[in-house]
Amino acid sequence: MTNSPAPGLGSEPGRHRVGARLTSSFGDERAGAWADKLWTAARAADEYAALDVVADALDAGLDAETVLLEVIGAVQHRVGIEWAANRMSVADEHAATAISDRAIAALPVRRPHAFVGKVTVACVDKEWHALPARLLAETLRLRGWRVGYLGAQVPTAHLISQIHRTGADAVCLSAALSTRLPVAHAAITAVQAVGTPVMVGGLAFGVDGRYARRLGADAWAPEARAAADRLSAGFLPRPRPPHQALDDLPHLADQEYTMVARSSRSLVRETFRRLEERLPAMAGYDDDQRERTAEDIAHIVGFLAAALYVDDPGLFTDFLTWTGDVLTARGVPAQSLLPGIHLLEEQLRDFPRTRRFLDAGRTTLAARP
């Protein structure tokens, strides 16, 4: 190793953006050319040029929402693709994301005579990919909503306190990483318990919103414009009465998710130790390689736990496929993940559902060319 549906349900890159859209569409045919110009400025880390592109696009007749979503948003989507393909470093990605933030701040937002309603927009606890949530917050502001944008990593208790204080008509929660689904579920049920409906979005919930439905969200949207359209169509339905996680996910009664999640640190440590014993090549790893190996094991355990939480082995195999692609782009064979899968199976042999998920992961990796 190395480096039945709920009512209303129908790009800053992270290390594991499983399920990312492969294309970025343009509603305004002129937006693509401006996105190319902004991309050039972002790759050069030229903030001033980026701000000029935004101003010039607005002067050319693009409305602020188009610039926000089809120019800035499209560039950020491309950043994720380029990072995964190993054509951008982490430093390049951070610089491009900072430019996107600055470009968003430069967009004009006119105060409406009367607000459409009040919406709180936040990332779930532990989710630090804030740009998708900010794109939604700014889209809603442009459409006349009073928006409370809370940013990244919002603890659920603080979110509830803010809702009580502001009286939001709806809460929009964002999560990019599937490993955040358990805390997202806790946030959804807590917000619903105070009588406020919840719309969710982000790659964590699946490209088709399947995990939003599983977690009992009141609505789901694939991207900012669709979310704004859904809210504009009418307020979300009132949420269900207070309920427990088992009401949405009865399979959690087997305790396998709980046991894997609670023992995740010891699983990572023991898997790393056994790898050292069985892979002589690790004796020659430098500190950076050892750290990357430990991180890869931790990600495998984290996504395994998330898959157990929603009872979907596809979440785990999609993660391994995506990670295999990222490793391959960096010259590392995807099969390098297999020893860790095998060692986890050794430690989790008493958990039948977990073994089934790990076996699916091993089969997926073994089938790669």
Side-chain angles (χ1 to χ4, degrees), residues 16-31:
H16 300 295
R17 292 187 52 138
V18 178
R21 295 187 304 278
L22 298 179
T23 61
S24 185
S25 60
F26 297 99
D28 188 320
E29 62 183 12
R30 300 172 296 171

Side-chain angles (χ1 to χ4, degrees), residues 72-91:
I72 300 171
V75 165
Q76 199 60 30
H77 174 76
R78 186 172 176 181
V79 167
I81 293 174
E82 295 297 297
W83 178 88
N86 200 30
R87 293 189 291 264
M88 286 187 80
S89 69
V90 172

Side-chain angles (χ1 to χ4, degrees), residues 198-223:
V198 181
M199 175 185 285
V200 299
L203 298 174
F205 297 99
V207 292
D208 58 358
R210 66 184 62 186
Y211 304 127
R213 291 187 285 273
R214 252 170 239 199
L215 303 186
D218 300 295
W220 165 80
E223 43 79 33

Side-chain angles (χ1 to χ4, degrees), residues 2-360:
T2 77
N3 190 21
S4 83
L9 286 173
S11 2
E12 173 181 25
R15 202 153 172 250
H16 300 295
R17 292 187 52 138
V18 178
R21 295 187 304 278
L22 298 179
T23 61
S24 185
S25 60
F26 297 99
D28 188 320
E29 62 183 12
R30 300 172 296 171
W34 290 106
D36 288 340
K37 293 179 181 180
L38 184 60
W39 171 253
T40 299
R43 285 300 278 132
D46 189 337
E47 177 181 319
Y48 296 105
L51 295 179
D52 287 342
V53 170
V54 170
D56 291 345
L58 293 169
D59 289 342
L62 270 68
D63 61 83
E65 183 174 309
T66 296
V67 175
L68 175 68
L69 301 180
E70 299 180 31
V71 178
I72 300 171
V75 165
Q76 199 60 30
H77 174 76
R78 186 172 176 181
V79 167
I81 293 174
E82 295 297 297
W83 178 88
N86 200 30
R87 293 189 291 264
M88 286 187 80
S89 69
V90 172
D92 291 335
E93 172 263 307
H94 285 184
T97 299
I99 285 176
S100 292
D101 275 328
R102 185 69 182 87
I104 291 171
L107 289 173
V109 179
R110 293 180 176 83
R111 181 190 295 270
H113 296 297
F115 288 104
V116 176
K118 291 185 288 186
V119 177
T120 294
V121 178
C123 295
V124 302
D125 197 8
K126 305 183 189 308
E127 178 57 66
W128 48 272
H129 296 86
L131 195 64
R134 189 174 182 199
L135 289 173
L136 173 59
E138 298 305 323
T139 300
L140 292 173
R141 285 195 180 102
L142 288 169
R143 295 196 184 189
W145 291 82
R146 183 186 292 275
V147 180
Y149 172 61
L150 307 185
Q153 303 189 94
V154 181
T156 298
H158 293 247
L159 174 64
I160 298 301
S161 176
Q162 200 268 355
I163 294 169
H164 280 305
R165 186 170 59 82
T166 63
D169 299 307
V171 171
C172 296
L173 294 176
S174 177
L177 301 179
S178 300
T179 49
R180 311 306 184 221
L181 288 174
V183 292
H185 194 195
I188 291 167
T189 55
V191 173
Q192 291 173 332
V194 300
T196 304
V198 181
M199 175 185 285
V200 299
L203 298 174
F205 297 99
V207 292
D208 58 358
R210 66 184 62 186
Y211 304 127
R213 291 187 285 273
R214 252 170 239 199
L215 303 186
D218 300 295
W220 165 80
E223 43 79 33
R225 183 168 280 152
D229 288 345
R230 175 63 185 84
L231 289 171
S232 297
F235 288 113
L236 302 180
R238 303 308 300 175
R240 292 176 295 161
H243 55 283
Q244 302 297 317
L246 280 173
D247 296 327
D248 297 322
L249 306 171
H251 58 270
L252 293 178
D254 68 11
Q255 293 293 303
E256 292 201 26
Y257 160 74
T258 300
M259 296 300 293
V260 171
R262 288 181 178 175
S263 61
S264 60
R265 290 186 180 180
S266 61
L267 283 170
V268 173
R269 285 196 300 267
E270 181 61 15
T271 301
F272 189 91
R273 186 188 69 78
R274 295 186 187 191
L275 278 175
E276 286 186 303
E277 290 180 349
R278 301 185 192 187
L279 295 180
M282 283 188 65
Y285 280 13
D286 59 27
D287 289 344
D288 184 65
Q289 288 173 308
R290 292 173 66 83
E291 181 179 350
R292 294 291 175 266
T293 299
E295 286 179 351
D296 285 341
I297 298 170
H299 287 305
I300 290 173
V301 173
F303 277 85
L304 173 63
L308 289 168
Y309 191 83
V310 295
D311 195 30
D312 185 359
L315 187 156
F316 185 55
T317 56
D318 284 349
F319 153 72
L320 291 175
T321 297
W322 188 90
T323 302
D325 291 343
V326 170
L327 290 175
T328 299
R330 286 152 176 76
V332 179
Q335 283 77 10
S336 65
L337 298 169
L338 281 169
I341 300 290
H342 176 70
L343 292 174
L344 285 170
E345 283 187 302
E346 288 184 359
Q347 298 168 77
L348 297 167
R349 58 182 177 272
D350 295 330
F351 302 102
R353 193 157 60 95
T354 304
R355 286 202 322 271
R356 178 164 55 86
F357 285 27
L358 287 167
D359 183 62

